[in-house]
Amino acid sequence: MIAIDQDHQILKARYMAVKRDYGTFSKAAPKHLKPLITNLGFQQTTGAYFLRKRESWEEGFYLQQSGYGSGNFWVEIGLSVPGMDTYWQTDPAEKSFGFIVGDRLGNYTDRFHSETYEAEDLATLQASVELVAQHLQSAKAWFAQFTSLSDIASYYSKRNRGEIAACNTGYLLLLAGKPDEARIKLEYAKSKLQLAIAENAASFKKRKPGKETLSYYELDNHRLKCVEAALRECD
């Protein structure tokens, strides 16, 4: 198994070492894409990330190249909600862009049909970028389904489960001005986190925790602290 993994890494490295006639993907793809989507209002932020601001959230997409050297890439579209950082009590230095809801771009009819775009050379990259621009035009309907933070909370809640999902839904509902609905989600998350913390604390009395286990325990304590602070806003 080790030999196979080593061979895989060597093969991957060889693919990644291939020089393409368009230079680096992160520079070439946005350069060719930007002129084709000026009417959509997206602004390039860093690398192959694009955003446009709404009242309480951001709509965006990014181009992600395959790690296996083919040059192929895909496009993730989605929404980010900056206000979530406050509830997660995120250190400003640790904040990073991420979608709270999203989908893989493709040919959009009533849903997305995920698509991988080719970028083996400049000609295929340019053709793929033109296709991406077309798909972004047709993706207006996907973005249009979100007219409020309540819409985002509902969409997210239907597709995610567990205590962390309950935290996120609760925070979204608080931002949407629905504290009573938020309380239900946050109380559930609080009970699950308290249980996990208590179980870990009990196990620590029997066996000294490893570094990874201890980090999860500390993370759960931070999450509980965040939930309890958010619950105080529900009163």
Side-chain angles (χ1 to χ4, degrees):
M1 180 61 72
I2 294 177
I4 293 175
D5 289 341
Q6 289 175 338
D7 288 343
H8 172 76
Q9 292 300 322
I10 292 171
L11 185 60
K12 180 178 177 181
R14 287 176 180 171
Y15 276 126
M16 294 301 289
V18 174
K19 292 185 178 180
R20 305 195 183 281
D21 60 354
Y22 51 75
T24 63
F25 175 81
S26 62
K27 291 183 179 180
K31 174 184 176 182
H32 291 286
L33 179 60
K34 282 192 291 185
L36 304 176
I37 59 170
T38 53
N39 66 311
L40 296 179
F42 287 106
Q43 300 296 319
Q44 184 181 5
T45 57
T46 58
Y49 286 77
F50 291 79
L51 288 177
R52 62 186 178 193
K53 294 186 180 297
R54 293 294 182 251
E55 183 177 353
S56 301
W57 65 91
E58 298 169 331
E59 300 173 340
F61 68 90
Y62 62 89
L63 284 61
Q64 178 67 56
Q65 193 173 34
S66 168
Y68 291 94
S70 64
N72 293 348
F73 68 99
W74 60 89
V75 181
E76 298 283 351
I77 71 167
L79 312 178
S80 64
V81 181
M84 297 284 286
D85 287 330
T86 300
Y87 287 111
W88 279 120
Q89 300 180 23
T90 307
D91 187 310
E94 297 176 355
K95 290 182 180 180
S96 60
F97 174 76
F99 293 144
I100 187 69
V101 299
D103 214 327
R104 183 72 62 82
L105 183 65
N107 186 24
Y108 186 81
T109 50
D110 59 337
R111 58 167 294 182
F112 278 109
H113 299 282
S114 177
E115 183 153 347
T116 300
Y117 303 93
E118 296 181 358
E120 183 176 350
D121 52 36
L122 180 58
T124 56
L125 174 64
Q126 289 176 324
S128 290
V129 162
E130 290 179 3
L131 192 57
V132 168
Q134 293 175 24
H135 290 167
L136 285 170
Q137 298 286 347
S138 65
K140 291 178 182 178
W142 188 88
F143 287 111
Q145 68 184 303
F146 303 103
T147 61
S148 68
L149 287 169
S150 294
D151 292 340
I152 299 174
S154 176
Y155 186 96
Y156 175 87
S157 182
K158 290 176 182 177
R159 288 161 176 77
N160 298 276
R161 295 290 182 268
E163 58 266 35
I164 306 307
C167 292
N168 282 327
T169 303
Y171 300 154
L172 286 167
L173 289 168
L174 271 177
L175 290 168
K178 296 187 174 183
D180 291 339
E181 293 180 33
R183 183 185 293 107
I184 296 171
K185 295 292 186 179
L186 294 172
E187 288 287 4
Y188 169 79
K190 179 181 176 180
S191 65
K192 298 292 284 187
L193 287 167
Q194 286 176 325
L195 178 60
I197 291 169
E199 289 177 345
N200 277 322
S203 70
F204 294 166
K205 294 179 180 179
K206 301 176 182 179
R207 179 186 302 174
K208 184 178 179 180
K211 186 176 180 180
E212 183 177 2
T213 301
L214 187 59
S215 68
Y216 282 122
Y217 175 75
E218 292 171 347
L219 181 57
D220 279 342
N221 274 285
H222 173 76
R223 288 167 172 166
L224 179 59
K225 176 184 174 183
C226 294
V227 168
E228 290 174 336
L231 277 167
R232 289 193 286 272
E233 288 192 26
C234 297
D235 297 331

